[in-house]
Amino acid sequence: MHKIILAGENSLLIYFGDKIDPELPKNIANFANQLKNEFSELIINLTPSYTSLLVSYDLNKTSYPIFKSQVSTLLKQWTPAEVEQSFKVIHIPVYYGFEVGLDLERLLAEKALTLDEFIYIHTSQSYLVYAIGFSPVFAFLGEVDQQIQAPRLSTPRIKIPAGSVGIADRQTAIYPTDSSGGWNIIGRTMLDLSLKNPDNLDKFKTGDQVEFYPITRDEYLKYGGKL
Amino acid sequence: MSFKVIKPGFLTTIQDAGRFMHAIYGMSQSGVMDEHAFGWANHLLGNDYTDAVLEITFGGVELEALDEVVVCVCGADLDFKINAKIAPTWKSLQVQPTDILSWSLPKHGVRSYLAVQGGFKTQTLFGSRSVNLREHIGVKITQDCVLACAPSSGQLESFMAPQYRPNYHQNVVLRLLPSYQYSEFSDAQKTLFFGQTYTVSNANDRSGCRLKGVPIVFKRDKMISEAMSYGSVEIATDGLPIILLKDAPSIGGYTKIGTVFSLDLAQLAQQQPTAKVRFELMNIEQAQKERLAFNQFFGVLENSKPLKI
């Protein structure tokens, strides 16, 4: 069941479960919407993640005990199944080549897979957006097939180029901008996911689905990909 | 336009009260590191609490005034001068065209705030003027760039009495709210955490402050990543605390022992590496009471309108 705990002087954290479950992101997104509608004057930030939702409120207008009890009441009345919400499917082209997939060659050796097999496994399923965080437009996607799961690098890279597609354990993700990070890099998309295009803010939402599809080196370059 | 940048300094960025309602898109809160000094700088000019200021870290900055403007510098003493003469801080000042404002070296504290009457009018990005370099939102100031601000509405004489000015040399006590996984730490671990004096390390920036000390041995099988609030204290794999600050990622996967009260983080923001800090417990009633008093004094969020998400 739900649990509400203190998270800071103006924040509380609601747990919707204690393990990762594909149903949770949709439910959490749904409840976040309800909260926003119900308490639009009080809420100053909402951060959904795998099993929880952080709610920050304006303590000029309410206090922890009062707000906690209001949230608790709303949780009791709320039935996620009844409220329909639309979630989209996002298609991401990826060039899976050794020159951009910095860890690809090593992973193929470790997993005893051919490149085609690896690509097939990564692209043949749809991934759920479990959370957005780490940096803007960075979507945590799951779950990666067991055959290509790989732990984070023991030493993170200082710079991973924008568009890089990575794997960390059961998760996969795309780095929207150049950044440091410890995920295994398997390919790169030429899509600009940076905030230079402000529409990208809304590109991924928790509960959406992401599907990757392979493109050739020529296609990647033709549509603006950089090596 | 109002100031031309002659020397940009080590880390000089425009900041305001922060970026709210955007954590859902993965954005940090951002905003000023020392809310107390920021609050005073705006307050002494009759500005709104949310007006954007220049946050100057460690100094190395030189600006040329292009217009007549009323300014106020609060926070660290970075050897602030006007036309090479020592100038007062925590006080409103009128500057004239061609005046050179400079900050050279930290003498007392680390971060200095330059507020201008009406606030800096840089581009608003996602509901805030705060620059976040980690997130590629906005940029540092650079040589020859011009910092725009509103025309000043007139001279005023206001200052903070010297006896109220903060002493940044004092050792810092960080009051901690027992939040997140606090109850999962054993009594022995809590005794070790609250009983020791930690040292601020070199790994200390706008995203987080890593502390050095005796490690806490804490093992948890699985921690599912969750949202981190401003001031939450992660216990990293090495058993040492990381205090999450304004530019911290919105989500993380380490266990958190609690959350530091925001106004104590303002003091932490003025500490150099090797400064000593310790933690003590605080309850939520006291924290909300103190923060509410601060908010009411400075008019925090009074004018804020909830943003659409």
Side-chain angles (χ1 to χ4, degrees):
Chain A
M1 260 316 280
H2 307 120
K3 194 170 93 176
I4 304 176
I5 63 159
L6 183 72
E9 72 203 40
N10 64 346
S11 301
L12 52 80
L13 191 67
I14 312 167
Y15 289 107
F16 292 78
D18 55 10
K19 37 180 191 297
I20 294 174
D21 172 345
E23 285 308 306
L24 285 181
K26 294 171 198 162
N27 289 347
I28 294 169
N30 178 293
F31 188 72
N33 262 320
Q34 296 256 322
L35 261 182
K36 206 172 64 190
N37 295 337
E38 197 75 20
F39 302 113
S40 63
E41 291 293 311
L42 301 182
I43 290 173
I44 58 173
N45 234 336
L46 290 167
T47 324
S49 186
Y50 290 87
T51 58
S52 61
L53 175 67
L54 180 76
V55 187
S56 299
Y57 52 92
D58 183 351
L59 63 77
N60 298 336
K61 296 178 185 152
T62 187
S63 67
Y64 180 63
I66 294 171
F67 189 61
K68 184 181 177 181
S69 118
Q70 286 175 319
V71 171
S72 172
T73 307
L74 190 66
L75 269 170
K76 282 181 195 128
Q77 297 164 350
W78 167 69
T79 35
E82 283 175 15
V83 192
E84 275 302 311
Q85 236 186 308
S86 61
F87 295 102
K88 55 187 186 293
V89 181
I90 303 144
H91 299 273
I92 306 283
V94 180
Y95 166 46
Y96 297 87
F98 297 143
E99 52 202 319
V100 291
L102 308 172
D103 297 294
L104 197 50
E105 211 162 355
R106 175 179 54 81
L107 289 182
L108 294 183
E110 280 173 19
K111 311 282 176 195
L113 291 169
T114 65
L115 181 58
D116 285 346
E117 287 167 336
F118 189 96
I119 295 172
Y120 178 78
I121 297 167
H122 192 247
T123 54
S124 61
Q125 72 177 89
S126 182
Y127 299 96
L128 178 67
V129 178
Y130 275 95
I132 316 265
F134 173 65
S135 63
V137 205
F138 188 101
F140 290 87
L141 310 170
E143 296 198 349
V144 171
D145 190 287
Q146 212 178 342
Q147 296 175 79
I148 56 168
Q149 291 177 12
R152 281 179 175 77
L153 308 185
S154 51
T155 310
R157 287 192 173 88
I158 303 286
K159 191 181 165 190
I160 294 174
S164 291
V165 177
I167 289 177
D169 302 316
R170 292 183 289 176
Q171 309 169 103
T172 185
I174 312 147
Y175 284 90
T177 51
D178 289 353
S179 70
S180 58
W183 292 38
N184 300 276
I185 305 303
I186 59 168
R188 204 184 294 171
T189 180
M190 67 287 185
L191 295 185
D192 174 22
L193 297 174
S194 78
L195 291 175
K196 277 181 226 145
N197 174 4
D199 290 345
N200 280 333
L201 204 59
D202 249 342
K203 183 85 181 175
F204 305 100
K205 278 206 161 130
T206 50
D208 285 345
Q209 299 281 332
V210 173
E211 291 176 7
F212 296 100
Y213 63 96
I215 52 167
T216 63
R217 188 176 190 273
D218 286 350
E219 287 169 319
Y220 172 75
L221 293 174
K222 187 177 152 195
Y223 293 105
K226 291 191 187 79
L227 296 174
Chain B
M1 57 183 185
S2 203
F3 289 99
K4 186 176 167 187
V5 178
I6 312 289
K7 282 190 203 162
F10 304 102
L11 175 60
T12 312
T13 55
I14 293 286
Q15 297 293 337
D16 61 15
R19 187 167 281 115
F20 297 96
M21 286 318 247
H22 282 73
I24 206 161
Y25 304 115
M27 282 183 201
S28 309
Q29 181 175 330
S30 307
V32 290
M33 290 283 281
D34 181 344
E35 292 183 80
H36 176 260
F38 162 73
W40 273 103
N42 274 331
H43 181 72
L44 291 174
L45 295 178
N47 287 353
D48 282 345
Y49 180 77
T50 50
D51 280 336
V53 300
L54 196 63
E55 181 177 89
I56 299 165
T57 309
F58 295 126
V61 175
E62 230 174 85
L63 306 177
E64 181 189 349
L66 302 177
D67 299 285
E68 197 175 293
V69 59
V70 182
V71 304
C72 182
V73 174
C74 290
D77 179 359
L78 304 179
D79 201 14
F80 173 55
K81 292 185 176 124
I82 297 181
N83 298 330
K85 278 203 294 249
I86 291 172
T89 52
W90 306 92
K91 183 180 188 307
S92 64
L93 300 167
Q94 177 107 32
V95 299
Q96 304 298 333
T98 74
D99 278 354
I100 302 286
L101 282 65
S102 67
W103 292 258
S104 52
L105 282 171
K107 291 166 80 178
H108 186 231
V110 173
R111 293 181 167 91
S112 188
Y113 293 90
L114 170 69
V116 295
Q117 212 171 46
F120 284 100
K121 299 296 177 201
T122 53
Q123 197 188 357
T124 301
L125 298 157
F126 310 106
S128 162
R129 291 187 161 88
S130 290
V131 168
N132 186 317
L133 298 174
R134 191 183 64 82
E135 294 182 340
H136 305 268
I137 298 176
V139 291
K140 289 196 250 195
I141 67 164
T142 50
Q143 197 181 335
D144 293 333
C145 80
V146 171
L147 301 168
C149 59
S152 289
S153 54
Q155 200 168 2
L156 70 165
E157 272 296 322
S158 56
F159 65 95
M160 185 201 220
Q163 65 266 35
Y164 297 122
R165 291 176 197 167
N167 175 4
Y168 300 134
H169 290 314
Q170 238 164 22
N171 287 352
V172 178
V173 177
L174 300 171
R175 286 169 296 169
L176 186 92
L177 293 159
S179 62
Y180 286 105
Q181 288 79 40
Y182 178 79
S183 59
E184 293 177 35
F185 287 81
S186 69
D187 288 347
Q189 287 164 339
K190 287 174 192 161
T191 303
L192 184 57
F193 179 78
F194 290 108
Q196 64 174 305
T197 300
Y198 286 99
T199 306
V200 174
S201 77
N202 288 318
N204 172 15
D205 59 16
R206 286 187 43 92
S207 291
C209 177
R210 284 172 186 265
L211 301 178
K212 289 192 288 193
V214 184
I216 292 171
V217 180
F218 183 85
K219 284 234 158 57
R220 182 176 158 137
D221 297 344
K222 215 170 210 171
M223 176 72 205
I224 299 172
S225 290
E226 63 187 22
M228 307 188 291
S229 56
Y230 174 49
S232 52
V233 183
E234 289 182 333
I235 302 298
T237 321
D238 61 8
L240 294 174
I242 305 171
I243 305 166
L244 296 158
L245 301 174
K246 289 286 172 74
D247 288 358
S250 52
I251 293 174
Y254 289 117
T255 310
K256 295 169 287 302
I257 192 166
T259 309
V260 178
F261 178 53
S262 60
L263 299 178
D264 295 348
L265 295 170
Q267 292 178 46
L268 180 68
Q270 295 294 357
Q271 304 306 309
Q272 300 248 23
T274 76
K276 305 289 180 205
V277 301
R278 60 182 188 82
F279 293 93
E280 68 184 36
L281 268 184
M282 184 186 213
N283 65 43
I284 180 68
E285 291 76 19
Q286 184 62 25
Q288 294 205 320
K289 196 176 138 200
E290 281 190 38
R291 183 68 207 203
L292 189 60
F294 176 91
N295 289 358
Q296 284 170 346
F297 181 80
F298 289 113
V300 180
L301 288 176
E302 248 169 35
N303 306 315
S304 71
K305 291 180 200 83
L307 291 159
K308 285 219 164 61
I309 53 169

